[in-house]
Amino acid sequence: TKKKLTRVRNITYTVGANGDITPMIHYDPVEFYGMINTKSSGHSYARFRELNLKPNEVIMIEFVNDVMAYIKPANVEENMFNPNRPFEFIKNCPECGCEIEISDSGKKAICPNPNCPARVYARMTNMLSKLGFKGFSTETIKKLNIVSFYDFMTLSPERVKVLGEVNSINLLQGIEDLHTRNIADYIILGSIGFTGI
């Protein structure tokens, strides 16, 4: 395990397919094994409250299992004299503006709006991954403005041009393959969000 000290600069938020809001903690760059890290997941509302971070606070970044930069409080004297107030968790969804709800357990912050654009794009990203379309990021989904399974299956050559020539051809071929390939119904249903099938 490797550990380094750095300084908190900002917190942003992402919204998942189920509405879970995850804080992303931004800090001054730290390097582990040649990789530069500038942000780490704050994991959950409960973890955010537990960390109780202030702007410019010194924190410990721990590189766990060579795959994840994990944030821990740093026991340094400087933090005792930090005059800044702790970061406050957002009250409204950063994407749709809907008022955030806190789970009964107090562990999660949730956007309750099922039509929140961030939730829709996250669901689409999950769907394409389960259908075997590799390398489809949320940003690509946004660029194509795909909001449903039907929308994806009926993408036109004109709409996919934004991906560039090679990627467009590969995507359209993949969609055509999906039209003609025998694929189990539970895979289709699972990809669009049904579980326990």
Side-chain angles (χ1 to χ4, degrees):
T1 303
K2 283 191 134 190
K3 300 177 182 178
K4 291 188 178 178
L5 294 177
T6 186
R7 200 177 292 276
V8 178
R9 294 303 180 189
N10 191 26
I11 296 184
T12 59
Y13 300 85
T14 61
V15 185
N18 295 323
D20 292 359
I21 295 177
T22 303
M24 295 298 296
I25 300 165
H26 299 254
Y27 43 78
D28 289 342
V30 290
E31 182 181 347
F32 292 105
Y33 305 108
M35 291 187 300
I36 304 296
N37 295 266
T38 59
K39 64 181 178 179
S40 297
S41 173
H43 300 290
S44 66
Y45 175 72
R47 179 73 176 144
F48 174 91
R49 294 192 63 187
E50 181 186 318
L51 287 169
N52 198 35
L53 297 173
K54 297 177 179 179
N56 302 326
E57 182 173 337
V58 177
I59 54 172
M60 172 87 65
I61 306 295
E62 186 174 358
F63 207 64
V64 181
N65 300 326
D66 294 343
V67 293
M68 181 177 70
Y70 188 74
I71 294 173
K72 290 186 172 179
N75 187 18
V76 295
E77 187 177 2
E78 180 183 336
N79 283 345
M80 295 171 59
F81 302 101
N82 185 334
N84 296 311
R85 295 173 59 83
F87 286 101
E88 287 188 29
F89 204 89
I90 55 174
K91 300 278 193 293
N92 299 86
C93 173
E95 290 289 333
C96 70
C98 191
E99 189 173 341
I100 289 169
E101 295 178 358
I102 305 301
S103 65
D104 292 340
S105 66
K107 293 182 178 178
K108 293 181 178 182
I110 301 160
C111 170
N113 176 11
N115 297 315
C116 171
R119 292 185 64 175
V120 171
Y121 290 133
R123 286 196 299 268
M124 293 303 303
T125 304
N126 291 343
M127 181 194 80
L128 293 180
S129 175
K130 288 176 181 174
L131 289 175
F133 286 84
K134 305 299 180 193
F136 257 82
S137 67
T138 300
E139 288 308 310
T140 305
I141 301 290
K142 284 182 180 178
K143 195 181 283 187
L144 291 169
N145 195 27
I146 305 168
V147 295
S148 70
F149 181 66
Y150 176 81
D151 201 18
F152 175 70
M153 293 300 288
T154 57
L155 276 172
S156 67
E158 195 61 38
R159 277 180 69 186
V160 301
K161 273 184 180 176
V162 294
L163 301 180
E165 187 177 350
V166 174
N167 289 334
S168 297
I169 291 169
N170 290 340
L171 175 57
L172 291 171
Q173 183 58 54
I175 292 172
E176 182 60 28
D177 183 49
L178 200 58
H179 274 290
T180 56
R181 176 167 41 107
N182 286 333
I183 182 167
D185 53 4
Y186 69 86
I187 293 177
I188 294 286
L189 290 169
S191 74
I192 57 178
F194 292 96
T195 58
I197 298 166

